Amino acid sequence: MRPALIAAACAAIGSVTGQQQLLGQESQTTKPPNIVFILTDDQDVHLQSLDYMPLVRKNLLEKGTYYDKHYCTTAVCCPARVTLFTGKAAHNTNITDVNPPYGGYPKFVKQGFNSKYLPVWLQEAGYNVYYTGKLFNAHNVDNYDSPYPAGFTSSDFLLDPFTYNYLNSSFQRNQEPPVSHEGEYVTDVMAQKAYGLLDEAVEAKKPFFLMVAPSSPHADIQNNSGSLTFDAPVSAPRHRDLFKHVKVPRTVNFNPNVPSGANWIRALDQQNTTNVDWNDHFYRQRLRSLQAVDEMVDGLFERLKSHDLLDNTYIFYSSDNGFHIGQHRMQPGKSTGCEEDINIPLIVRGPNVPINETTQLVSSHTDIAATIFSIANIPLRDDFDGLPIPLTAPAIESAISKRREHVQVEYWGFAGGEGIYDRRLHINNTFKGIRIVGEGYNLYYQIWCTNEHELYDMSKDPGQMKNLLLDDSRVDVVAGHPIERVVERLDALLMVQKSCTGEVCREPWRSLHPDGKVMTLEDAMASRYDKFYEKQVKVEWDFCHNGYVPEAEGPMFEDRGVEFRDDGFMWPDWV
Ligand SMILES: *[C@@H]1O[C@H](CO)[C@@H](O)[C@H](O)[C@H]1NC(C)=O
Ligand SMILES: *[C@@H]1O[C@H](CO)[C@@H](O)[C@H](O)[C@H]1NC(C)=O
Ligand SMILES: *[C@@H]1O[C@H](CO)[C@@H](O)[C@H](O)[C@H]1NC(C)=O
Ligand SMILES: *[C@@H]1O[C@H](CO)[C@@H](O)[C@H](O)[C@H]1NC(C)=O
Ligand SMILES: *[C@@H]1O[C@H](CO)[C@@H](O)[C@H](O)[C@H]1NC(C)=O
Ligand SMILES: *[C@@H]1O[C@H](CO)[C@@H](O)[C@H](O)[C@H]1NC(C)=O
């Protein structure tokens, strides 16, 4: 290990000058910027929902940068949100589900995060913090005050069990009791609250962070004394008749004639016409419900503009996780490692952020807290698993060759559809993966708790229809190298990432190659490392479990001692 070197690198990133270079800020006297963060619920990239949001296009895409390779690392609401707010992967928060015992607001509190997350840190740094919308699952009309979420100057939370009840929401302001909004459209109620909070923030004349987290386009859920009924999302009445002829994009992986994927996904039957037609309806309802979000975004921009705040405010738009409808024959839902579920929207607009640009730089929700720290000029925490996302043209340009080019994906539990058909819960939906995008490769590698392996070449097979590790679709060469050599590297990287914390997560290749000579998959592919990677202990599960219990997780990198690290010794090429 070279702790001194790593510490020096981190210090440079954490220093004022480092952060200001990242943001293109010229001097320390700049007034701290404001931050507005819009976080939707279950919004996809790959079903093209952003194409139906003209006001997001006008205000954000055309005025900011779109991060095409942004990922959530755990594709379900509560774990994804906790990762976003703490800068830690789910295996370090142990918030791995939406409800107790493995997740939800009570577990968040129990794990001690109510005093160690973004709102609290921003307040400590002198920011006023405002929030309206959904915070976490299982934050409800009974437990909202035990304790109150910490870190908010003013808040108005959307509470369970009414979070997905589009026409009977329950909001809870500051320390007041919940108020029911029967018959009002939830996003319109929230928009008024968001505008009010923005006015409060302006009035207070302090730098502020405002987060608005609509429940759209999540499925509608009604909780009738404990029995949950799922239905398509509901739109505001004024948007009811839009998009009558729109259907889920018929990509190659849409309800395919042949099974795909592995485990429970491979066992799914093809959907019949009744089911597909209903799923198209579900899709249209998502787009219709997003129209009120689109309008709210425009409303926020109008107000930012009228308060003359646009020059000193960063505006983020993202979703907690992605969504699939019919891909690989799956019912509407998330919770898998498929690209539709993990690749999510991220748009940033703000001072020095390139205008009307798209970048292929890889980033994840693990990086969001660190990014906001950079903007607010707060020294980065050493226990962050993520790194600030570069926000200026030069920073993006130089990061392309230096920054981590992969994200680690992880999941524990079951998967369930959110439509009206096939409401089975699929157990054994526990897995770990690596999504990696670099010069000459674009791959996804996943290992299920059943020890089934998948590898997809996303440049040739973006729909993930050909698992290259299955006998009938196996290839010898992937990304220009023998497939087993590539898998050995990805497996070793996953072994490090699956239990990493802090700096090991930020620079996982250094744990394998402490001399710093390997920073990318391409570096690791050098043939002199073939023997080294061949002998690495492989990722393997002991059994499937619904939560993160170490007994289930097989060998861990930390357990294995120094012989599994490359200490700079070079195998001669002829070995
Ligand atoms: C709406 O929610 C309130 C509780 O917040 C409940 O008392 C009321 O019965 C609900 N109305 C309908 C129509 O479900
Ligand atoms: C549904 O409502 C019951 C009480 O009627 C509650 O115990 C349960 O937690 C609710 N479920 C969800 C998912 O909110
Ligand atoms: C179509 O599939 C759904 C879900 O499996 C099933 O409930 C329904 O009965 C089927 N309808 C027809 C007409 O086969
Ligand atoms: C944004 O860029 C695209 C091409 O990438 C161009 O067609 C479009 O006109 C640009 N829009 C604006 C508002 O600059
Ligand atoms: C779930 O995984 C276990 C291995 O942990 C296996 O024994 C069992 O058959 C699997 N069940 C299903 C329904 O796939
Ligand atoms: C995660 O939480 C669960 C539920 O409380 C617990 O059983 C498990 O041991 C925890 N895992 C770790 C690694 O602490």
Side-chain angles (χ1 to χ4, degrees):
M1 287 294 284
R2 308 280 160 82
L5 230 178
I6 295 167
C10 293
I13 293 169
S15 75
V16 169
T17 32
Q19 286 179 38
Q20 287 183 335
Q21 275 163 10
L22 212 61
L23 297 167
Q25 291 170 356
E26 276 123 40
S27 81
Q28 290 182 34
T29 55
T30 322
K31 191 163 167 253
N34 311 303
I35 301 154
V36 175
F37 203 119
I38 300 140
L39 185 73
T40 53
D41 196 332
D42 288 359
Q43 188 171 1
D44 59 276
V45 163
H46 292 269
L47 310 181
Q48 296 167 7
S49 57
L50 284 171
D51 291 356
Y52 296 86
M53 302 186 79
L55 302 172
V56 165
R57 169 160 303 281
K58 179 187 87 173
N59 291 299
L60 282 154
L61 286 167
E62 289 181 354
K63 297 280 169 50
T65 293
Y66 178 69
Y67 291 77
D68 188 55
K69 296 282 182 293
H70 186 72
Y71 291 85
C72 62
T73 53
T74 305
V76 71
C77 310
C78 188
R81 286 163 188 250
V82 174
T83 289
L84 190 148
F85 282 125
T86 59
K88 289 168 171 292
H91 69 258
N92 287 327
T93 65
N94 200 12
I95 312 284
T96 59
D97 196 358
V98 293
N99 286 314
Y102 299 123
Y105 180 60
K107 174 80 165 162
F108 171 84
V109 171
K110 197 169 148 199
Q111 296 289 105
F113 289 116
N114 200 28
S115 57
K116 283 186 291 189
Y117 75 137
L118 194 61
V120 170
W121 295 325
L122 283 168
Q123 276 197 331
E124 284 168 3
Y127 270 71
N128 276 352
V129 181
Y130 304 88
Y131 199 104
T132 184
K134 166 180 165 186
L135 183 63
F136 301 126
N137 307 68
H139 177 217
N140 62 36
V141 293
D142 297 321
N143 68 13
Y144 67 90
D145 58 352
S146 50
Y148 291 104
F152 297 101
T153 311
S154 197
S155 60
D156 211 331
F157 298 115
L158 177 58
L159 294 180
D160 271 355
F162 304 99
T163 306
Y164 310 113
N165 195 327
Y166 281 81
L167 291 168
N168 192 18
S169 51
S170 201
F171 279 87
Q172 187 271 317
R173 184 176 161 80
N174 298 334
Q175 317 256 303
E176 296 162 21
V179 174
S180 180
H181 290 264
E182 190 170 333
E184 295 175 72
Y185 188 66
V186 60
T187 313
D188 294 342
V189 175
M190 199 180 299
Q192 293 309 317
K193 292 178 182 300
Y195 305 154
L197 290 172
L198 182 57
D199 289 343
E200 262 183 65
V202 172
E203 198 112 313
K205 295 191 169 32
K206 277 178 73 174
F208 66 85
F209 176 87
L210 165 65
M211 191 145 180
V212 184
S215 45
S216 174
H218 195 286
D220 180 86
I221 306 178
Q222 310 277 337
N223 184 345
N224 301 311
S225 32
S227 103
L228 301 183
T229 315
F230 284 72
D231 209 334
V234 176
S235 76
R238 63 189 178 282
H239 301 129
R240 200 164 38 196
D241 298 325
L242 294 171
F243 315 130
K244 279 202 166 117
H245 304 291
V246 172
K247 292 179 172 181
V248 179
R250 297 312 198 240
T251 45
V252 58
N253 59 6
F254 180 81
N255 200 26
N257 292 331
V258 292
S260 49
N263 197 356
W264 64 267
I265 298 172
R266 202 166 186 82
L268 292 172
D269 291 329
Q270 195 170 24
Q271 294 172 2
N272 63 29
T273 312
T274 319
N275 193 158
V276 170
D277 287 349
W278 192 86
N279 286 351
D280 282 331
H281 159 74
F282 183 98
Y283 176 61
R284 288 188 289 272
Q285 288 301 100
R286 280 169 60 86
L287 302 180
R288 290 167 182 150
S289 85
L290 281 168
Q291 298 313 298
V293 176
D294 204 37
E295 292 170 358
M296 176 174 70
V297 167
D298 200 45
L300 283 167
F301 273 94
E302 262 175 34
R303 284 162 179 82
L304 287 167
K305 203 161 143 193
S306 71
H307 290 302
D308 204 16
L309 289 174
L310 275 178
D311 286 348
N312 198 33
T313 303
Y314 289 85
I315 302 100
F316 289 72
Y317 185 96
S318 192
S319 171
D320 48 8
N321 50 261
F323 208 73
H324 60 254
I325 304 176
Q327 290 73 33
H328 309 283
R329 305 178 170 182
M330 293 187 287
Q331 297 296 336
K334 58 257 185 183
S335 315
T336 80
C338 76
E339 192 73 354
E340 287 81 2
D341 289 1
I342 58 174
N343 186 204
I344 50 175
L346 176 67
I347 316 165
V348 188
R349 170 178 173 173
N352 299 314
V353 179
I355 291 169
N356 195 24
E357 283 290 344
T358 295
T359 172
Q360 299 298 316
L361 197 76
V362 176
S363 59
S364 82
H365 272 359
T366 323
D367 301 322
I368 297 288
T371 308
I372 289 168
F373 266 46
S374 299
I375 290 171
N377 222 341
I378 310 171
L380 297 180
R381 294 173 59 91
D382 196 45
D383 64 354
F384 276 157
D385 298 337
L387 286 163
I389 300 170
L391 298 174
T392 67
I396 291 171
E397 185 60 36
S398 82
I400 289 274
S401 58
K402 290 195 200 108
R403 205 183 143 79
R404 207 174 41 176
E405 52 174 12
H406 67 274
V407 298
Q408 191 229 321
V409 178
E410 49 193 4
Y411 204 91
W412 296 263
F414 54 82
E418 298 180 28
I420 58 172
Y421 291 112
D422 189 0
R423 308 241 347 107
R424 279 177 295 169
L425 289 183
H426 301 284
I427 62 159
N428 287 356
N429 190 58
T430 294
F431 57 82
K432 296 179 191 298
I434 289 279
R435 181 75 179 90
I436 188 160
V437 188
E439 192 69 40
Y441 42 90
N442 184 1
L443 306 169
Y444 183 61
Y445 177 61
Q446 179 172 308
I447 304 175
W448 293 85
C449 62
T450 54
N451 289 316
E452 287 160 274
H453 286 51
E454 291 177 87
L455 177 67
Y456 297 98
D457 184 342
M458 307 288 291
S459 54
K460 294 195 176 125
D461 177 25
Q464 300 175 299
M465 290 299 290
K466 286 199 185 73
N467 176 6
L468 301 178
L469 300 176
L470 269 190
D471 287 344
D472 57 1
S473 46
R474 200 177 165 94
V475 294
D476 295 330
V477 172
V478 66
H481 298 280
I483 189 166
E484 62 273 20
R485 298 273 177 252
V486 175
V487 171
E488 280 162 6
R489 269 68 172 183
L490 292 174
D491 201 280
L493 180 62
L494 181 55
M495 178 65 90
V496 174
Q497 287 268 216
K498 79 186 179 96
S499 56
C500 67
T501 55
E503 69 181 47
V504 175
C505 298
R506 299 193 297 264
E507 290 196 296
W509 290 111
R510 271 191 194 273
S511 294
L512 293 156
H513 302 275
D515 64 7
K517 289 193 176 136
V518 171
M519 299 304 276
T520 63
L521 177 62
E522 189 52 36
D523 297 342
M525 287 313 304
S527 60
R528 64 176 175 278
Y529 301 128
D530 284 353
K531 279 273 179 318
F532 171 71
Y533 280 103
E534 210 180 294
K535 72 176 188 192
Q536 293 292 318
V537 175
K538 306 301 173 214
V539 173
E540 191 185 348
W541 293 82
D542 288 319
F543 56 91
C544 287
H545 190 76
N546 283 342
Y548 177 36
V549 296
E551 310 86 271
E553 305 257 327
M556 297 281 192
F557 186 77
E558 311 84 81
D559 301 337
R560 296 176 315 142
V562 74
E563 66 175 301
F564 293 104
R565 291 175 175 82
D566 165 39
D567 292 317
F569 171 75
M570 300 281 185
W571 291 91
D573 284 340
W574 45 264
V575 172

